[in-house]
């Protein structure tokens, strides 16, 4: 295992991170859309308000106030409900508690002195955010020389043995848990932040970064998928967990699927939410991801142009406008490929095109793809055929790969079968 995981602590990754502002479950969907546009991993943590003001809150009390993480896909699925399509103005003013999926296990509060390897283990088990206190003057150090959180540099005078194991702090160097106040400031560390840190330490991870994702066993064949001819709204019956993405596929042969697009939080991150909700409720999955051009006459959608991109406006401005126009992929932020809609394409391009890699792609290349596109996953296709889907690589898969012992690597000639879990109608 690379020493970078043993000699670094999560506090090293929080330098320069902004203070977290709690987003409460009583806030509106409209406000959440604006905030999500500035978030990482296309989602925001949702909190309950404090029941007793002025009481010093410990870690357990704060954890109990955490509700879950609201993603852009959650919002689109909520707005696509029949009652919300009929009254979009009411839907935009609804509290986020009606859209968020409660799951308190997605966030964990940890001490700044927590070893990076321990934080990675939490994230591998499903934790997506680490809550770390910033308001403490913490003097624990992860290496011989390390920056203090009061802005000074100091030589480590502690026993190096203690630093490399459990990072025990001496009595005159209190951890954040022992200096809790009623005005503590926190920052939120996401898996994207960890991957961004790791890509700056590729040399320390050698030879893993240049190994293929198939050799490392990083390809997850248990992806969520939906047939292109199936109504897109079917994905809302059971939204995917991690990654928050559904592959839109065509069945070519038995156990062979061609990916033509995806419906995901990443793709819907900064879209026109009202238009995307209408499309999700009225189009097939293939039509949703491929787009429908303006000259098609089979579909009509209420004019949502007054709203523009909802994420950039302060109000819904009357979602139920009377003027109707033909639905365009541009209204949900997609760039259509051709004037005529056709699901079967050998060359698929456009903004709605899924982010893909090959089974032979290196781990470093996949990490760079995810960071450059701000995506939480990359779809994996066969080496010989760019369209045949075999699996997906997400944050959890990368974290498992970089912490895996070399003896557990998978032979490079191993074949993968795509056994996607189709959405049940």
């Amino acid at each position: 295992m690379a020493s970078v995981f043993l000699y670094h602590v999560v506090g090293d990754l929080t330098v320069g991170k902004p203070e977290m502002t709690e987003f409460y479950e009583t806030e509106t969907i409209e406000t959440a859309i604006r905030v999500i546009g500035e978030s990482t991993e296309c989602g925001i943590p949702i909190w309950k308000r404090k029941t007793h003001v002025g009481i010093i809150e410990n870690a357990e009390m704060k954890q109990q106030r955490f509700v879950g993480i609201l993603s852009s896909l959650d919002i689109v699925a909520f707005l696509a409900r029949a009652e919300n399509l009929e009254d979009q103005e009411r839907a935009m003013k609804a509290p986020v508690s009606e859209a968020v999926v409660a799951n308190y296990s997605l966030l964990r509060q940890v001490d700044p002195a927590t070893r990076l390897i321990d934080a990675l283990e939490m994230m591998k088990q499903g934790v997506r955010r680490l809550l770390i206190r910033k308001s403490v003057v913490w003097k624990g150090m992860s290496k011989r020389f390390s920056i203090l959180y009061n802005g000074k540099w100091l030589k480590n005078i502690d026993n190096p043995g203690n630093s490399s194991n459990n990072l025990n702090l001496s009595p005159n160097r209190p951890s954040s848990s022992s200096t809790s106040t009623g005005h503590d400031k926190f920052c939120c560390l996401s898996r994207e932040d960890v991957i961004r840190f790791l890509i700056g330490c590729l040399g320390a991870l050698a030879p893993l970064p240049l190994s293929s994702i198939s050799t490392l066993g990083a390809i997850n064949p248990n992806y969520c998928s939906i047939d292109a001819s199936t109504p897109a709204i079917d994905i809302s019956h059971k939204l995917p967990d991690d990654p928050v993405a559904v592959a839109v596929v065509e069945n070519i042969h038995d156990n062979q699927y061609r990916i033509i697009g995806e419906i995901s939080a990443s793709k819907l991150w900064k879209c026109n939410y009202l238009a995307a909700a209408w499309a999700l409720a009225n189009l097939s999955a293939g039509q949703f991801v491929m787009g429908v051009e303006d000259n098609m006459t089979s579909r009509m959608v209420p004019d949502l142009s007054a709203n523009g991109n909802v994420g950039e406006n302060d109000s819904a401005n009357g979602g139920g406008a009377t003027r109707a126009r033909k639905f365009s992929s541009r209204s949900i932020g997609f760039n259509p490929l051709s004037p005529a809609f056709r699901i079967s394409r050998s060359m698929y391009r456009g903004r709605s095109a899924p982010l893909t890699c090959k089974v032979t792609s290196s781990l470093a290349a996949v990490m760079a793809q995810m960071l450059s596109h701000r995506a939480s996953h990359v779809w994996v296709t066969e080496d010989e055929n760019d369209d045949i889907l075999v699996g997906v690589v997400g944050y959890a898969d990368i974290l498992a790969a970089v912490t895996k012992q070399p003896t557990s690597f998978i032979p490079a000639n191993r074949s993968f079968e795509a056994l996607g879990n189709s959405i049940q109608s």
Side-chain angles (χ1 to χ4, degrees), residues 209-276:
L210 296 182
S211 302
S212 69
I213 53 176
S214 59
T215 301
L216 298 174
I219 304 175
N220 180 9
N222 300 314
Y223 56 88
C224 290
S225 66
I226 185 172
D227 190 86
S229 60
T230 304
I233 193 62
D234 283 3
I235 71 164
S236 64
H237 297 161
K238 185 179 180 181
L239 293 175
D241 182 27
D242 188 30
V244 186
V246 178
V248 180
V249 300
E250 289 179 317
N251 191 350
I252 303 176
H253 303 292
D254 292 339
N255 294 328
Q256 280 195 328
Y257 300 89
R258 173 186 295 143
I259 181 169
I260 66 170
E262 68 173 72
I263 304 176
S264 66
S266 299
K267 290 297 181 182
L268 298 172
W269 185 17
K270 295 183 179 181
C271 71
N272 184 316
Y273 283 77
L274 292 177

Side-chain angles (χ1 to χ4, degrees), residues 314-355:
D314 292 335
S315 64
N317 292 330
T322 57
R323 185 171 67 89
R325 63 178 175 85
K326 301 182 183 73
F327 172 71
S328 169
S329 59
R330 295 186 183 93
S331 65
I332 57 173
F334 291 158
N335 181 20
L337 183 65
S338 69
F341 169 74
R342 183 162 60 94
I343 292 180
S344 298
R345 303 180 192 268
S346 59
M347 297 296 290
Y348 181 77
R349 296 293 183 267
R351 177 176 173 180
S352 59
L355 189 63

Side-chain angles (χ1 to χ4, degrees), residues 163-198:
S163 282
S164 62
N165 292 324
N166 296 320
L167 290 173
N168 295 326
L169 303 179
S170 59
N172 61 330
R173 293 185 178 184
S175 69
S176 61
S177 59
S178 63
T179 59
S180 178
T181 69
H183 304 283
D184 285 329
K185 297 180 180 179
F186 293 85
C187 68
C188 216
L189 199 67
S190 68
R191 295 176 299 180
E192 179 182 321
D193 295 321
V194 175
I195 299 298
R196 196 173 300 279
F197 170 80
L198 293 180

Side-chain angles (χ1 to χ4, degrees), residues 28-35 91-94 96 310-311 313-317:
T28 65
I29 294 292
E30 180 183 354
T31 305
I33 289 174
R34 294 198 300 270
V35 176
M92 294 293 284
K93 299 299 182 182
V96 296
V310 179
N313 291 277
D314 292 335
S315 64
N317 292 330

Side-chain angles (χ1 to χ4, degrees), residues 69-189:
I69 295 179
L70 180 70
S71 72
S72 53
L73 184 56
D74 292 327
I75 293 180
V76 171
F78 170 77
L79 294 175
R81 297 175 187 174
E83 62 274 18
N84 293 332
L85 288 175
E86 293 176 0
D87 190 350
Q88 293 178 335
E89 184 175 359
R90 187 211 67 82
M92 294 293 284
K93 299 299 182 182
V96 296
S97 58
E98 296 185 17
V100 66
V101 178
N103 188 348
Y104 71 92
S105 65
L106 298 181
L107 180 140
R108 183 80 57 85
Q109 182 176 342
V110 298
D111 192 275
T114 302
R115 294 187 306 172
L116 183 57
I117 183 61
D118 297 327
L120 263 58
E121 288 299 323
M122 296 179 195
M123 290 183 166
K124 285 162 57 178
Q125 298 302 318
V127 175
R128 299 185 194 173
R129 299 287 198 280
L130 294 178
L131 193 63
I132 304 168
R133 183 175 285 110
K134 286 179 64 72
S135 57
V136 63
V137 180
W138 176 67
K139 296 185 179 180
M141 283 160 287
S142 57
K143 297 190 294 184
R144 179 71 176 175
F145 294 93
S146 182
I147 190 169
L148 293 180
Y149 287 82
N150 59 5
K152 298 179 181 179
W153 290 85
L154 181 68
K155 187 174 181 179
N156 190 352
I157 59 174
D158 288 341
N159 187 340
N162 291 338
S163 282
S164 62
N165 292 324
N166 296 320
L167 290 173
N168 295 326
L169 303 179
S170 59
N172 61 330
R173 293 185 178 184
S175 69
S176 61
S177 59
S178 63
T179 59
S180 178
T181 69
H183 304 283
D184 285 329
K185 297 180 180 179
F186 293 85
C187 68
C188 216
L189 199 67

Side-chain angles (χ1 to χ4, degrees), residues 4 8 196-206 209:
V4 65
H8 275 281
R196 196 173 300 279
F197 170 80
L198 293 180
I199 207 168
C201 308
L202 293 182
L205 300 176

